[in-house]
Amino acid sequence: MASDSELIERIRTADDLPALEALRVSVLGKQGSITAQLKSLGSMDPETRAAEAPKIHALREAVTAAIAERKAALEAAELDRKLATETLDLSLPAPEAPRGTVHPVSQVMDELAEIFADLGFAVAEGPEIEEQWYNFTALNMPEFHPARAMQDTFYLEPRAEGEEPRVLRTHTSPVQIRAMQERGAPIRIIAPGRVYRSDSDATHTPMFHQIEGLVIDRAIHLGHLKWTLETFLRAFFERDDVVLRMRPSYFPFTEPSAEVDVGYTRDAKGKRIVGGSEGWMEVLGSGMVHPKVIAAAGLDPDEWQGFAFGTGVDRLAMLKYGMDDLRAFFDGDIRWLKHYGFRALDVPTLSGGVGA
Ligand code: PHE
């Protein structure tokens, strides 16, 4: 058997933690050599025991201390080795955490804001609970206009005796008036937001979204309107073959007025795809702002003129992203939102593709 000093030396030079542990078991374990020496004390005569016991106990303490010291040294070395060899790449993307998606309506509004920002349009807003004057009167909508009827429009109870009932705005056009009042002319704005009509089927919900466009300056004409709509629809649908058709129409607040159709073709499944001109669908209302509207907003119609348009955001979303039931937009069904929603950090940009 190794001498005590050899034993201590072997402990001090143990190569690694498993070797040290094997050594510990061989001396201090149940069958260990020191354990055996301790056991042998019982069978010694008192004199021998008195002489041997302190030596054995001293040896055990020395060995225990040496093992603890070597263990600490080996562990520290192991940690140093890990620190030196293992690296953490902080530039790696973190695993994706589950989170919500951007609703297609919000996505399309962001896309439109991006497209129109590039054309120099600011974003304007107005209240959803609107005064009749802004929603109808200032927009040259006469008393007998069907939109004013109770069955088409949501009216609110007056707050005080004699107050004219306010309405849930039926379109975003009242923002034209508010924007001209607040910002004057020249002006170039879009106004996205919620609008309300008493209507409900697969393509109509009582609340839906519109986006209004308004340009007022000194020499704005119909050609500017046509170019703007063409540029916007091509950027939005991300196709160069988007064809427009302007049909004469009537809105009280524009003169002349035009309804705008986009051409579509059908894919193999018969689904309408914007682009080409196999068929036409109406996408927006537009026209040159009526002089009475410009005057109602406090501007001189002899000095200022321009165009306006309004279109349904939900409609545009359905056409671009292929949903067919408008009601599903507002059911809040998580499965629908997951399927049609957009990733939160995919901000639309013109250079990156607005719908990417
Ligand atoms: N406000 C009209 C509508 O809701 C759309 C429109 C806006 C038409 C601006 C002409 C000019 O149908």
Side-chain angles (χ1 to χ4, degrees), residues 34-73:
I34 295 179
T35 312
Q37 288 182 55
L38 285 166
K39 279 184 194 159
S40 71
L41 285 174
S43 55
M44 289 175 185
D45 61 78
E47 235 168 86
T48 323
R49 186 189 309 141
E52 290 300 316
K55 286 194 232 161
I56 300 176
H57 283 294
L59 176 63
R60 191 182 62 166
E61 262 161 50
V63 165
T64 306
I67 289 176
E69 197 182 314
R70 185 61 187 155
K71 191 170 181 217

Side-chain angles (χ1 to χ4, degrees), residues 139 141 170-174 176 197 208 210-213 251 253-254 257-258 282 284-287 307-311:
L139 290 166
M141 281 198 187
T170 59
H171 51 178
T172 42
S173 298
Q176 288 186 33
R197 287 180 203 174
F208 60 106
Q210 284 191 333
I211 189 160
E212 193 82 8
F251 299 103
F253 34 93
T254 47
S257 302
E282 190 203 317
L284 48 87
S286 67
F307 64 77
F309 60 86
T311 180

Side-chain angles (χ1 to χ4, degrees), residues 255-274:
E255 179 57 35
S257 302
E259 260 163 353
V260 179
D261 301 337
V262 289
Y264 64 82
T265 42
R266 287 188 190 273
D267 69 5
K269 286 187 192 148
K271 208 168 186 155
R272 295 168 177 191
I273 306 290
V274 171

